[in-house]
Amino acid sequence: MDKVIAQILGLSSKDEDLQQLKTFLSKAEETILRSPHQIDEALNVLDPHNHTLGYLYLLAVKAILPRPDQQVFITQVQGFLQTCNPAQVALSTFKFAKVCRAYATVLVELHQPIRGVGPLRKAIAALSKPRGSPLGNELTGIHTDFIQLCLLSKCYRAALPVLDEEAFEVNPDGSGVSVKDVLCYYYYGSLVYIGMKQYRKALEFLKLVFSIPAAVISAVMVESYKKFILVSLLETGSIVALPKYTSGVIHRYIKRTAEPYHDFATAYINYTKNPSSEGHSSSSNNNNPAPNSLEEIHRVAAQHVEVFQKDGNLGIVKQCIQSIYATNIKRHTQTYLTLSLKDIAESVKLPTIQDAQKAVLRMIENGEVHAQINQRDGMVAFEEDPEQYDTNSMMVKLDDQIKKIMTVDRRLRAVDNQIALTPLFVQKMMGHESRDTDASYYQRSIAHDDGRSWEMFR
């Protein structure tokens, strides 16, 4: 171990020596594994910033060994992530990701996920700095671990800056990211967006989970599809069509795994597209409510409540039912300029005037309607959208969106050029051109010789 420490101290000061140090440490891993009791002593000698690469290799070995004191490991990793040198981290992103995974796993086991939110955010920044982006455009396993910790600690807002930054690349050879990491990243991300009620972005993330090319359906895909149905209802009022590039096996089998959700969606869509004002009252004389009634939605929800609760989706189902009241209140804005809270409660089937007031206030806060409530006479005055799209803040938002679109365009062009230069693509395209040439020659021969020439078959 003394030799290992000496090499780390001697080869960490100059950039040109770091590759030599990496080669030495790769060969010395067996030596370090045989001296687990000396790893902590070595870490105490090294500086996490100046000797980042060596410190990282020692932590990576410690991460795979039994650790009698988990708190010491947590403290060591946190100190390392706070001060590590991004340039040295870039030399071994695979080890870096493994250390972060072990760190996140320990925190989950100890039920202390909130402790890892800040350090893993630093880890993502450390990976991205050598690439020139503040948060990075390469998706790694660290991103997945970070979003998981944000979910478990309910720090949804801390996750948004990372989720909002588009990921354009995955590098399994470099960072060790797996298919499971990618699927879980987008699944966890969708849960964050659902928690923040950003349903449009949640839909995009959920679509990415089950539209990834696959030969079989995974459990993550199934759970994503179930939430996809419910979030579609919240965002659009219907089930969004699956992308055309979705794998055939998904189209064939995934709907069978979510039949209770399709039943609920059918009842929801039938009511919202053609609400039955009679259906609610007639149900008192009939055990079977009208198919386009609010009672039918409640009946289907109650029928499958155990399934929804087991899947952890009962809360979203309740949000879907609440959204029906909001949809009905929105319809009134197209007909009335003023309406009493009593009339709103009766028309949308809310139990009391207070419930109607709460619903309208919630919609005003969320920007779903523009209205004022007169508390004295219990009247609601609906107004036009005051946004004229001419404010400085709106111009800044538009400018940001344009910049994002331009960035995506540059990325797509770069990827397109990169693919066009790969030997496999060129070979495949040449094969297509050859077949196209043969087909066009055949068609010309038929046209000129009226079908009597067989020259093309020579």
Side-chain angles (χ1 to χ4, degrees):
M1 182 62 76
D2 291 339
K3 183 180 178 181
V4 172
I5 296 174
Q7 288 291 321
I8 294 173
L9 292 173
L11 297 176
S12 296
S13 56
K14 297 180 181 179
D15 292 343
E16 55 268 23
D17 294 336
L18 290 174
Q19 196 62 46
Q20 180 183 346
L21 176 60
K22 179 182 177 181
T23 303
F24 169 79
L25 289 171
S26 298
K27 295 177 180 178
E29 282 190 81
E30 290 296 327
T31 303
I32 302 171
L33 279 169
R34 288 195 298 267
S35 308
H37 58 284
Q38 295 182 338
I39 293 178
D40 286 341
E41 296 177 8
L43 290 173
N44 290 332
V45 173
L46 302 176
D47 180 83
H49 181 78
N50 296 328
H51 312 119
T52 293
L53 189 59
Y55 206 99
L56 174 59
Y57 267 78
L58 292 173
L59 282 177
V61 172
K62 189 171 183 178
I64 62 176
L65 293 172
R67 297 179 295 275
D69 192 346
Q70 300 281 42
Q71 294 296 337
V72 172
F73 179 71
I74 291 172
T75 303
Q76 289 169 338
V77 176
Q78 285 183 172
F80 172 72
L81 295 179
Q82 293 288 345
T83 61
C84 64
N85 185 337
Q88 293 190 34
V89 166
L91 294 174
S92 187
T93 54
F94 183 86
K95 297 284 186 187
F96 190 66
K98 291 298 180 186
V99 169
C100 291
R101 174 62 53 84
Y103 170 67
T105 302
V106 170
L107 291 176
V108 172
E109 291 173 354
L110 296 177
H111 305 289
Q112 300 173 0
I114 196 169
R115 292 180 63 182
V117 172
L120 284 192
R121 177 68 182 274
K122 289 272 189 180
I124 294 173
L127 273 184
S128 63
K129 277 185 179 179
R131 304 175 63 87
S133 173
L135 290 173
N137 295 116
E138 180 182 322
L139 182 59
T140 68
I142 303 174
H143 290 73
T144 305
D145 297 330
F146 171 71
I147 302 303
Q148 182 189 21
L149 294 184
C150 289
L151 268 176
L152 293 175
S153 58
K154 301 189 185 305
C155 297
Y156 301 147
R157 289 192 181 277
L160 291 180
V162 174
L163 292 174
D164 289 342
E165 186 76 14
E166 298 284 351
F168 293 99
E169 301 175 24
V170 289
N171 184 9
D173 296 330
S175 65
V177 64
S178 65
V179 174
K180 181 182 176 182
D181 289 330
V182 176
L183 291 174
C184 288
Y185 171 77
Y186 285 110
Y187 179 66
Y188 294 155
S190 70
L191 298 183
V192 171
Y193 281 132
I194 291 171
M196 296 299 294
K197 300 190 183 302
Q198 297 185 22
Y199 300 123
R200 182 182 61 80
K201 291 182 179 180
L203 274 180
E204 292 301 318
F205 270 52
L206 290 169
K207 276 194 289 187
L208 285 169
V209 176
F210 58 76
S211 63
I212 287 176
V216 293
I217 300 174
S218 67
V220 180
M221 290 179 173
V222 172
E223 294 305 312
S224 297
Y225 183 69
K226 292 174 181 178
K227 285 182 171 59
F228 175 78
I229 294 173
L230 298 176
V231 177
S232 292
L233 297 178
L234 285 171
E235 177 65 14
T236 67
S238 61
I239 300 178
V240 176
L242 300 183
K244 293 181 180 179
Y245 50 82
T246 304
S247 175
V249 69
I250 304 298
H251 280 287
R252 287 193 296 272
Y253 299 114
I254 202 166
K255 290 184 179 180
R256 302 178 190 176
T257 66
E259 290 182 356
Y261 294 85
H262 279 284
D263 291 344
F264 178 78
T266 300
Y268 183 99
I269 294 168
N270 285 342
Y271 176 74
T272 54
K273 289 193 174 180
N274 186 25
S276 170
S277 57
E278 293 83 7
H280 192 85
S281 58
S282 64
S283 62
S284 59
N285 301 321
N286 189 352
N287 292 329
N288 297 318
N292 56 336
S293 67
L294 192 58
E295 278 202 357
E296 173 65 7
I297 298 175
H298 284 285
R299 185 193 69 78
V300 175
Q303 179 184 349
H304 301 298
V305 66
E306 292 183 2
V307 176
F308 297 149
Q309 194 159 15
K310 181 182 176 182
D311 294 340
N313 293 327
L314 185 58
I316 310 179
V317 170
K318 290 180 179 178
Q319 288 184 52
C320 289
I321 295 174
Q322 288 297 321
S323 72
I324 294 172
Y325 298 119
T327 301
N328 289 338
I329 292 173
K330 280 184 183 178
R331 287 198 181 99
H332 292 319
T333 65
Q334 302 171 5
T335 308
Y336 303 99
L337 291 176
T338 58
L339 197 63
S340 69
L341 288 170
K342 180 181 178 182
D343 290 336
I344 292 176
E346 291 176 354
S347 62
V348 304
K349 312 301 181 186
L350 283 168
T352 65
I353 294 176
Q354 288 73 23
D355 290 324
Q357 181 173 328
K358 288 179 182 178
V360 174
L361 284 172
R362 192 182 307 116
M363 293 178 69
I364 293 173
E365 290 174 358
N366 296 335
E368 297 176 66
V369 297
H370 302 280
Q372 291 185 6
I373 300 177
N374 189 326
Q375 297 283 355
R376 187 167 49 189
D377 54 14
M379 297 296 292
V380 179
F382 298 111
E383 302 172 346
E384 295 290 334
D385 186 352
E387 180 60 66
Q388 299 297 317
Y389 302 97
D390 58 355
T391 61
N392 289 335
S393 59
M394 183 56 65
M395 293 299 106
V396 170
K397 288 182 181 179
L398 290 173
D399 185 58
D400 288 342
Q401 291 299 317
I402 292 171
K403 287 179 180 177
K404 286 182 180 179
I405 293 171
M406 292 173 67
T407 300
V408 172
D409 179 67
R410 285 195 299 269
R411 288 276 184 174
L412 288 174
R413 289 178 185 274
V415 171
D416 186 61
N417 292 334
Q418 186 179 357
I419 293 173
L421 295 175
T422 56
L424 184 61
F425 178 80
V426 172
Q427 183 180 357
K428 189 171 183 179
M429 291 305 296
M430 289 180 67
H432 281 305
E433 289 178 2
S434 176
R435 287 194 293 272
D436 291 344
T437 302
D438 291 343
S440 61
Y441 180 59
Y442 172 81
Q443 292 170 356
R444 286 198 305 271
S445 298
I446 291 293
H448 292 160
D449 300 330
D450 194 25
R452 291 185 295 272
S453 174
W454 293 86
E455 183 182 355
M456 65 289 246
F457 294 112
R458 289 179 184 176

